[in-house]
Amino acid sequence: MWKMAGILPIPKVYPPTSIQTDLRPISLTASISKQFESIVDECILLHVRDQLNPCQYGSLKGRPATHALIDMLHHWFNALDRPNGKSARVLLVDFAKAFAHVDHTTELQKLCNYGVPKFIIDWLASSLTCRQQRVKIANVCSDWVTLRREMPQVYGLDHSSF
């Protein structure tokens, strides 16, 4: 049950005319699963917080994404206010569904390198495999489908730092 999610398609526009562009899939997981993920998140942060880039914003307590915007504006205005005629160049990239395309084995290895305990990494590896989901619209549900994004090399991780 911890690895199962109900997908609820929420319309972005009314009325929706295209399944591909007009619906936003919202993944609903069990509340106990979300609470446990929060506990694991805190355990991981205990090991990696001191190793994070000071410009890391969002997903950290006391470091909201708003601070990232303020920091960017500060740098831009400083560059533009200088009498030597500096300019500010900006590149914005939309990493839509980025986590779905991340090699989970690589990310788990990075957590090993940060010194995150093996039992937490094993739990994360397990939670990322054999996940199931189904779509629910009103009172109608699709069949459960097992996601195919697996991590065949999970047990090949280098835990030698433990």
Side-chain angles (χ1 to χ4, degrees):
M1 181 177 174
W2 293 47
K3 297 182 184 186
M4 300 171 92
I7 307 299
L8 187 63
I10 303 293
K12 296 179 190 178
V13 296
Y14 290 95
T17 58
S18 168
I19 292 175
Q20 286 79 19
T21 60
D22 294 348
L23 296 174
R24 176 177 290 117
I26 304 298
S27 179
L28 304 174
T29 56
S31 295
I32 189 74
S33 183
K34 290 179 184 179
Q35 290 173 344
F36 194 69
E37 287 172 7
S38 176
I39 292 167
V40 171
D41 180 48
E42 286 298 317
C43 290
I44 291 172
L45 277 175
L46 288 173
H47 294 279
V48 303
R49 185 181 307 270
D50 294 338
Q51 301 174 62
L52 294 176
N53 186 313
C55 294
Q56 170 70 41
Y57 297 98
S59 301
L60 295 174
K61 289 180 183 174
R63 307 277 297 170
T66 306
H67 289 185
L69 294 172
I70 292 169
D71 190 44
M72 284 188 314
L73 289 172
H74 172 74
H75 289 291
W76 295 347
F77 289 144
N78 276 345
L80 296 174
D81 284 344
R82 302 233 163 116
N84 58 3
K86 287 192 172 187
S87 63
R89 296 180 185 155
V90 179
L91 171 66
L92 301 174
V93 180
D94 181 8
F95 289 107
K97 299 180 185 174
F99 190 70
H101 301 287
V102 170
D103 180 351
H104 297 147
T105 304
T106 301
E107 295 306 312
L108 291 170
Q109 184 62 54
K110 287 181 181 180
L111 290 174
C112 282
N113 296 342
Y114 277 131
V116 174
K118 182 183 181 312
F119 75 92
I120 293 176
I121 293 171
D122 288 345
W123 181 88
L124 283 171
S126 174
S127 73
L128 291 168
T129 58
C130 301
R131 298 186 72 82
Q132 292 186 313
Q133 67 182 29
R134 70 178 177 184
V135 177
K136 181 177 181 183
I137 301 175
N139 292 329
V140 179
C141 295
S142 70
D143 292 332
W144 287 102
V145 175
T146 300
L147 302 179
R148 294 192 310 213
R149 181 90 169 122
E150 297 289 330
M151 299 182 311
Q153 301 168 346
V154 167
Y155 296 104
L157 291 178
D158 177 18
H159 295 292
S160 61
S161 60
F162 306 117

